[in-house]
Amino acid sequence: MEEAHEVTVETTEKKNRDTRNTGPGRLLIAVYAVFAISATARAGYQILTKFPDAPLAYILSAFAAVVYIVATVSLAKPGRTWFKVSLAAVVVEMLGVVVVGAISLFDPVAFPHDTVWSSFGRGYGFVPLILPVLGLLWLYRRRPARIPH
């Protein structure tokens, strides 16, 4: 009887580790959702009204929006596949913030208009720089348990 209880507890723990939408993860998902909505709205407006002014910046804003959407959805979904999608999205986000942030500082002519990731997200209180760090930490804490062979 005690052995069955241990197996149930172990199975429940493994299932819980395959989800990222509990506790602080819910707040993280909410912040990603806000950024998905705001980046999508910003990119849509920029592309529809000012695209010829700074096409690279506006395309990057649209790309950032897609990354935030993918991160939001994948963080909310359970399972190993969604974990991998979350990890890929957050890593791409981190690389985007660092690369676009650095280029926008060292070559401002390349970005005559800001993107979400310009100057490491300065226009958004540096949240775009902090968010992937928090996302990676959360994913590390909630990584799926290894399956013994």
Side-chain angles (χ1 to χ4, degrees), residues 80-91:
R80 292 176 175 279
T81 301
W82 287 110
F83 173 84
K84 291 174 185 177
V85 173
S86 295
L87 185 60
V90 175
V91 167

Side-chain angles (χ1 to χ4, degrees), residues 41-57:
R42 178 183 181 151
Y45 172 76
Q46 290 171 328
I47 289 170
L48 290 173
T49 62
K50 307 178 194 176
F51 188 73
D53 297 345
L56 177 61

Side-chain angles (χ1 to χ4, degrees), residues 89-114:
V90 175
V91 167
V92 167
E93 175 196 7
M94 181 61 132
L95 290 172
V97 171
V98 170
V99 170
V100 172
I103 292 171
S104 66
L105 287 179
F106 296 117
D107 187 11
V109 174
F111 293 98
H113 296 201
D114 282 346

Side-chain angles (χ1 to χ4, degrees), residues 4-107:
H5 178 12
E6 287 177 19
V7 170
T8 304
V9 169
E10 186 177 308
T11 303
T12 302
E13 287 176 8
K14 283 182 182 177
K15 280 185 182 179
N16 288 342
R17 285 194 57 98
D18 281 347
T19 61
R20 287 153 304 285
N21 62 359
T22 61
R26 289 183 180 172
L27 178 60
L28 188 67
I29 292 165
V31 174
Y32 269 105
V34 168
F35 269 80
I37 292 165
S38 66
T40 301
R42 178 183 181 151
Y45 172 76
Q46 290 171 328
I47 289 170
L48 290 173
T49 62
K50 307 178 194 176
F51 188 73
D53 297 345
L56 177 61
Y58 301 148
I59 289 170
L60 282 171
S61 285
F63 178 74
V66 170
V67 170
Y68 287 126
I69 291 167
V70 170
T72 302
V73 171
S74 63
L75 284 166
K77 300 276 190 177
R80 292 176 175 279
T81 301
W82 287 110
F83 173 84
K84 291 174 185 177
V85 173
S86 295
L87 185 60
V90 175
V91 167
V92 167
E93 175 196 7
M94 181 61 132
L95 290 172
V97 171
V98 170
V99 170
V100 172
I103 292 171
S104 66
L105 287 179
F106 296 117
D107 187 11

